[in-house]
Amino acid sequence: MKEKNEYLDKTPYRYRRYVGYTLATIISLAIPFIQINGNQIFLLSFDKKQFHLMGTAFDMQELYLMPFLLMLLFLGIFALTAIGGRAWCGWSCPQTIFRVIYRDLIESTLLKLRRIKNKQKDIDLSKNENRFKKAVGIALWSILSLIAASNFMWFFVPPADFFAYLKEPTEHLFLIGMVLCIAGFLIYDVIILKEDFCIYICPYSRVQSVLYDNNTYQAIYSTSRGGNIYNEQKEKTIFKIKDFVDPSSECTACEACVSVCPTHIDIRKGMQLECINCLECVDACTTVMGKLGKPSLVQWSSTNNIVYNEPTKVLRKNTIMYFVALAITISILFLMSGEKEYMLLNVNKDTELYKIKENNVVSNTYLLLFQNTESKPLTYELEITNNPDIKITRFEPFTLSPGKMAKKVVILETDKLLVNDSSKDTPIPITLKAYAKEDPEKVKVVRNATFFFPRADKLK
């Protein structure tokens, strides 16, 4: 009895997934409302033409970080798949979470329309009571779909702006239309398309097969203990104990692992593209075999462990390479994000190289474009850092509101003989430094420009 309880007392993977789903839901709902220094943790705003990451706002001209974020995403998925198979699909994917909320919470727990352990059985809609419950379930999910669609839009439109826009619906029909379209798709996807999305539409299932190896963790059936469920001679699946070729096979042919599978597969046939590693089959077999005092025939393990009786190696050549690539990408990402400029400045030289005024005063004209990428008004100053003989004669400090741009004509002059060359005009490198008076150490940019000095014969 003690040995039997040892197998039965294990916490089902289903409950662990429910905890993971709850945490993922809370995090996805909370992130849009969290701000650092007035900026979002994550926001891709097409309205404000900004990208926010961990409280730092990047203007569209600074989206050089996006390729590294995409590399980080794909490398992370590849590494996760090589180690844990389709763990993302079964444990974190919004599609799976939405289906569990609708099927397990609404239909099974609240409305009692189906049983969680028999996900493949269709609901009997011949009864009026069941049809009414089905309508209630669709209504409940429709409300949740609107919330989920709004939550998705909050990563593109900050919640404060989102709710302000809703107060003027006629002025923001595109936003409202997007929310309704996303909600409509979620209703169709979760209620009608269901797991067919994972099987036929999601490209991840096609990618996984090239990322798996014998050390990849997955839901795997032990043929050495349970026996081969597929009779190659008769070319059919075995459904009764008496049909097993080996009488010592431990599989009871109870079909518990099959009836509980959300993607309608038989895990006993081996690895299949449809498997999302939700481990429902592991829980089902653990319950059945545990009552017999035996470990589950379907386990969260690897081919090396179950088939070849070898230890699973998490650190191996391909996973090490993934971790190295991830480390390099993260390092580059942090290095480049650390060089962020908290204002934007473009310097353009006027088409006229220079002007010569009275007393041999030489002037150059520039057009400077300033943009305030911070969330507060800033007053900008300008100075030349590397040539004291050249002065700024036309520029007044000015204040710029958040997100706004301003063009300023700047004139630089000198009354010194910088170059005594009668053969040609001479370009002189200069360094312009613009900064905010409110925070000169943080909000500053340095730009290189060229001051043109005329040849000596043009001077009086």
Side-chain angles (χ1 to χ4, degrees):
M1 181 65 68
K2 183 178 180 181
E3 185 180 358
K4 184 185 295 186
N5 290 336
E6 179 183 349
Y7 300 116
L8 288 174
D9 292 343
K10 291 182 178 179
T11 303
Y13 285 109
R14 179 188 298 130
Y15 297 146
R16 302 181 195 179
R17 286 191 298 117
Y18 288 168
V19 173
Y21 296 162
T22 303
L23 291 176
T25 302
I26 293 173
I27 291 172
S28 64
L29 289 172
I31 283 179
F33 292 92
I34 301 175
Q35 294 185 343
I36 301 175
N37 297 325
N39 297 320
Q40 307 293 128
I41 289 183
F42 182 89
L43 174 71
L44 183 59
S45 174
F46 296 101
D47 182 22
K48 298 180 179 179
K49 297 181 176 62
Q50 285 186 335
F51 172 61
H52 293 197
L53 181 64
M54 300 307 293
T56 301
F58 296 90
D59 196 77
M60 285 299 176
Q61 291 94 325
E62 301 176 284
L63 289 190
Y64 49 79
L65 296 177
M66 190 61 71
F68 295 98
L69 290 174
L70 294 176
M71 289 172 59
L72 198 63
L73 173 64
F74 283 104
L75 286 172
I77 291 176
F78 293 162
L80 178 63
T81 305
I83 296 174
R86 292 183 72 178
W88 160 260
C89 297
W91 293 72
S92 301
C93 179
Q95 162 76 14
T96 303
I97 295 176
F98 293 155
R99 278 293 296 161
V100 167
I101 291 174
Y102 178 72
R103 182 190 58 230
D104 292 7
L105 177 60
I106 296 177
E107 285 192 337
S108 301
T109 304
L110 296 180
L111 302 178
K112 308 297 182 183
L113 279 171
R114 63 168 75 242
R115 301 174 68 188
I116 292 178
K117 67 179 183 179
N118 194 347
K119 291 180 169 59
Q120 296 191 10
K121 185 176 181 180
D122 293 329
I123 299 172
D124 182 9
L125 294 179
S126 62
K127 300 179 180 178
N128 292 331
E129 180 184 2
N130 287 352
R131 286 199 293 268
F132 175 75
K133 288 182 177 180
K134 181 73 173 181
V136 171
I138 294 174
L140 290 175
W141 176 244
S142 299
I143 296 172
L144 293 178
S145 294
L146 285 172
I147 297 175
S150 300
N151 181 215
F152 176 77
M153 291 302 299
W154 292 341
F155 289 95
F156 300 91
V157 180
D161 294 345
F162 180 87
F163 291 115
Y165 293 160
L166 290 184
K167 294 179 181 179
E168 300 176 351
T170 57
E171 299 294 327
H172 301 92
L173 293 177
F174 180 77
L175 174 66
I176 295 175
M178 283 294 296
V179 172
L180 293 177
C181 287
I182 295 171
F185 171 76
L186 291 179
I187 294 171
Y188 170 78
D189 175 38
V190 171
I191 296 177
I192 300 176
L193 196 58
K194 300 181 284 193
E195 278 74 20
D196 284 346
F197 180 91
C198 307
I199 299 171
Y200 300 111
I201 299 177
C202 180
Y204 186 33
S205 62
R206 273 68 187 168
V207 175
Q208 67 162 346
S209 59
V210 299
L211 298 175
Y212 275 31
D213 58 31
N214 288 341
N215 287 292
T216 299
Y217 277 93
Q218 56 185 300
I220 185 169
Y221 168 74
S222 176
T223 55
S224 61
R225 289 180 51 218
N228 288 314
I229 194 65
Y230 185 76
N231 191 327
E232 296 181 359
Q233 296 178 348
K234 297 182 179 180
E235 296 186 354
K236 68 176 184 179
T237 302
I238 296 172
F239 293 104
K240 297 180 180 179
I241 300 176
K242 63 182 181 63
D243 294 330
F244 280 97
V245 177
D246 188 352
S248 64
S249 299
E250 297 181 25
C251 180
T252 63
C254 65
E255 302 291 317
C257 61
V258 179
S259 62
V260 80
C261 178
T263 56
H264 296 224
I265 65 171
D266 189 341
I267 193 62
R268 298 171 297 175
K269 291 184 178 181
M271 189 192 79
Q272 297 158 73
L273 294 178
E274 297 84 354
C275 179
I276 60 174
N277 274 347
C278 64
L279 307 186
E280 291 274 14
C281 54
V282 178
D283 287 338
C285 192
T286 298
T287 301
V288 174
M289 298 304 294
K291 293 177 180 179
L292 302 177
K294 299 178 180 180
S296 175
L297 296 174
V298 187
Q299 296 185 18
W300 171 243
S301 189
S302 68
T303 302
N304 271 349
N305 194 340
I306 298 298
V307 178
Y308 302 110
N309 199 26
E310 297 177 1
T312 303
K313 296 180 180 179
V314 175
L315 292 178
R316 49 195 190 272
K317 185 183 297 183
N318 58 339
T319 58
I320 291 175
M321 292 302 296
Y322 285 133
F323 291 140
V324 170
L326 281 170
I328 293 174
T329 305
I330 293 173
S331 300
I332 295 175
L333 184 63
F334 274 98
L335 181 64
M336 297 189 69
S337 63
E339 297 178 355
K340 173 188 163 45
E341 295 178 337
Y342 293 90
M343 62 176 288
L344 296 181
L345 175 63
N346 292 329
V347 179
N348 297 301
K349 182 72 175 65
D350 189 65
T351 55
E352 186 178 21
L353 288 184
Y354 52 78
K355 288 183 180 180
I356 303 175
K357 301 180 179 180
E358 294 182 2
N359 300 321
N360 287 333
V361 174
V362 179
S363 70
N364 282 209
T365 303
Y366 304 82
L367 180 63
L368 273 61
L369 178 62
F370 292 81
Q371 182 172 359
N372 182 0
T373 60
E374 291 294 274
S375 57
K376 59 183 178 181
L378 295 174
T379 301
Y380 295 114
E381 290 273 10
L382 183 69
E383 64 181 38
I384 300 173
T385 61
N386 66 333
N387 198 320
D389 292 331
I390 301 175
K391 307 296 182 182
I392 300 175
T393 59
R394 179 176 174 178
F395 179 82
E396 294 293 334
F398 67 99
T399 301
L400 201 56
S401 301
K404 299 297 182 180
M405 294 186 295
K407 292 181 179 180
K408 296 293 179 181
V409 176
V410 177
I411 297 178
L412 307 184
E413 293 183 348
T414 182
D415 57 0
K416 307 293 185 181
L417 184 62
L418 300 181
V419 179
N420 189 7
D421 188 345
S422 300
S423 64
K424 62 180 180 179
D425 299 329
T426 304
I428 300 174
I430 58 174
T431 301
L432 296 174
K433 175 185 174 183
Y435 60 91
K437 295 175 62 176
E438 293 81 359
D439 194 351
E441 293 301 319
K442 174 185 175 183
V443 185
K444 63 180 179 181
V445 295
V446 176
R447 295 288 184 265
N448 294 322
T450 301
F451 184 90
F452 286 90
F453 196 81
R455 64 179 187 262
D457 64 328
K458 290 188 177 183
L459 300 175
K460 299 177 182 179

